[in-house]
Amino acid sequence: QGGLAVSTSSGGLLAGNANLNNAAIIWDSNKIVSMPGQPAFSVVPTSSQSNITVNDETVVAFGTEIYDIGSNFASNTFTAPVTGKYQLNVNLRLQDVDSAAAYYHINLVTSNRTYYSIVDPDFGQDAAYYTMQLSVLADMDANDTALLKIYQGGGTAQTDIHGGIWTSFSGYLAT
């Protein structure tokens, strides 16, 4: 059961438990290293969120997992399984963007700090759509969480968060 086993089968290197059923590190003959159990996730909304609240934060709902290695994503929240640096990425497609709003900002809220991206939507008219993006290398301790919120400052509650692949939240353990 325990212990370490190393195999050089297929011209590469496998390292894992004694019988190598669940290799932790795979190094192939092309010198490509992979760690199949490395925490990673990618999620999208199951449906659109209509008419987000004005002058208050709205949690972005992610109901469809594309993948979730380690089962660390639940209830719109990623929970870091181990301490490390996590690459977190957000694409948030807004529809019916209100040009009368003072700003929109997305908040990637982690236990240690909040990361922001902001836009002034004064495009001269309401925009049919606009995509906000944010990528960070976040320091997270074991059991820290990451959650995405959006805030619309002023204007009318007419903006929707697009459901499906145009809106996404992903991340992985980098170091």
Side-chain angles (χ1 to χ4, degrees):
Q1 294 270 352
L4 173 67
V6 176
S7 171
T8 57
S9 64
S10 303
L13 174 71
L14 298 172
N17 63 10
N19 61 12
L20 292 174
N21 287 337
N22 294 311
I25 300 171
I26 300 171
W27 180 357
D28 74 11
S29 60
N30 294 315
K31 300 178 185 170
I32 297 171
V33 176
S34 64
M35 294 178 280
Q38 192 79 344
F41 70 95
S42 179
V43 294
V44 297
T46 300
S47 60
S48 296
Q49 286 177 259
S50 300
N51 304 325
I52 63 171
T53 305
V54 175
N55 297 324
D56 196 11
E57 290 182 323
T58 300
V59 172
V60 180
F62 293 100
T64 302
E65 292 181 352
I66 306 302
Y67 56 85
D68 184 8
I69 300 170
S71 300
N72 301 303
F73 192 91
S75 303
N76 307 314
T77 304
F78 170 71
T79 302
V82 297
T83 298
K85 304 291 187 275
Y86 288 81
Q87 178 65 44
L88 301 173
N89 311 293
V90 173
N91 284 305
L92 185 65
R93 179 175 167 164
L94 304 177
Q95 296 185 159
D96 299 321
V97 178
D98 186 9
S99 63
Y103 57 89
Y104 290 83
H105 65 78
I106 53 176
N107 311 329
L108 182 52
V109 182
T110 69
S111 299
N112 293 331
R113 67 191 40 83
T114 300
Y115 304 90
Y116 299 95
S117 179
I118 189 167
V119 65
D120 176 353
D122 188 8
F123 304 122
Q125 63 185 19
D126 288 357
Y129 59 88
Y130 184 82
T131 301
M132 297 184 72
Q133 299 176 322
L134 180 62
S135 292
V136 299
L137 187 60
D139 60 314
M140 299 180 76
D141 300 315
N143 297 312
D144 279 358
T145 59
L147 174 73
L148 183 63
K149 299 179 180 183
I150 184 168
Y151 184 95
Q152 177 183 333
T156 303
Q158 69 184 44
T159 302
D160 305 331
I161 298 170
H162 186 273
I165 63 169
W166 292 99
T167 295
S168 63
F169 181 25
S170 65
Y172 62 90
L173 175 63
T175 62

